[in-house]
Amino acid sequence: MGNITPRAEPDHLVVTAASLEQGMAWVEDRLGISMAPRIGGEHVRLGTHNALMSLGPGFYLEVIAINPEAPPPSRARWFALDALPTGAAPRLAHWVARTGDIHAALQASTIQPGIVEEMSRGKLHWLITIAADGALQCDGALPSLIQWQSEPHPAAALPELGCRLERLALEHPQAQRIGESLEAIGLRDHRIALRDAPAARLSAAIATPHGVRVLD
């Protein structure tokens, strides 16, 4: 028997911000939906904290920032948070793809998103790829890989707000290479639009009760 192609699907969007409060306010301004009261927690090992918003079953939006009350970690923080300039505006910086076998997906990927690390937050446990220097591969256009090791999925605990991802547009000078990597890990989703462009850019069109709004 030949090798079985891994399967992957979008898991969540990642908004980075100079502070959690700024990130949550930015999402509310863009989507017209409040993230308060905050649902999220701390990532003690990496000195970060987050807030989550449901985008439907098995999918959510994460705002993540450096936790000013946490001691600096002994390693680089994830999602390129250490590289954020002072006063950086919140932005859609990255996305994460879910797989049932992260090691097989990592081996199949034609672009390496990082190394597999164990993470936890409260009752949640997962494996995720993180670059040693904390950088985002392909400027965030290539997803990190995640394999949840606890149930239920985090989105199941979030209030239903009537928001859904309609389209995730990924622009990058190496769009073809990124597309080949997504194909190799078995990620085929009609909502993902990938095209060649001079510079990297992520943009998410999200259906809300107020109409379609955009995060970028």
Side-chain angles (χ1 to χ4, degrees):
M1 294 179 62
N3 293 332
I4 299 175
T5 302
R7 294 183 61 185
E9 58 188 325
D11 187 78
H12 63 278
L13 304 178
V14 180
V15 169
T16 58
S19 75
L20 205 55
E21 294 74 20
Q22 290 176 28
M24 292 172 66
W26 180 80
V27 169
E28 181 174 0
D29 179 66
R30 289 296 186 95
L31 300 185
I33 303 289
S34 175
M35 295 186 74
R38 171 194 164 212
I39 299 177
E42 300 180 9
H43 312 105
V44 177
R45 188 159 67 87
L46 292 178
T48 60
H49 56 176
N50 67 2
L52 309 183
M53 170 187 281
S54 172
L55 293 178
F59 196 65
Y60 63 94
L61 169 71
E62 172 185 33
V63 174
I64 191 165
I66 292 173
N67 183 355
E69 299 181 1
S74 59
R75 52 151 296 157
R77 296 179 177 92
W78 49 4
F79 303 127
L81 288 173
D82 290 319
L84 280 184
T86 302
R91 70 184 184 99
L92 178 62
H94 194 41
W95 62 299
V96 179
R98 178 171 67 246
T99 178
D101 188 337
I102 194 169
H103 296 287
L106 184 61
Q107 185 175 10
S109 180
T110 55
I111 306 175
Q112 296 305 299
I115 58 176
V116 176
E117 298 205 24
E118 294 185 12
M119 290 294 298
S120 64
R121 180 175 66 78
K123 295 182 180 180
L124 297 174
H125 301 275
W126 66 97
L127 300 175
I128 190 168
T129 56
I130 307 174
D133 61 358
L136 295 174
Q137 182 60 273
C138 297
D139 305 298
L142 184 80
S144 294
L145 300 173
I146 194 168
Q147 180 181 346
W148 292 100
Q149 297 186 302
S150 55
E151 294 184 350
H153 186 271
L158 303 175
E160 171 57 60
L161 301 174
C163 297
R164 297 290 187 274
L165 176 70
E166 286 205 344
R167 189 175 183 87
L168 176 60
L170 309 171
E171 299 179 4
H172 198 276
Q174 300 183 55
Q176 182 175 341
R177 286 190 64 216
I178 294 171
E180 291 169 353
S181 189
L182 297 182
E183 181 72 21
I185 65 173
L187 197 154
R188 304 174 186 87
D189 191 299
H190 71 277
R191 297 171 298 177
I192 307 298
L194 181 62
R195 79 177 185 91
D196 193 71
R201 181 173 181 267
L202 280 70
S203 176
I206 297 175
T208 79
H210 315 295
V212 177
R213 302 289 181 89
V214 176
L215 296 179
D216 54 16

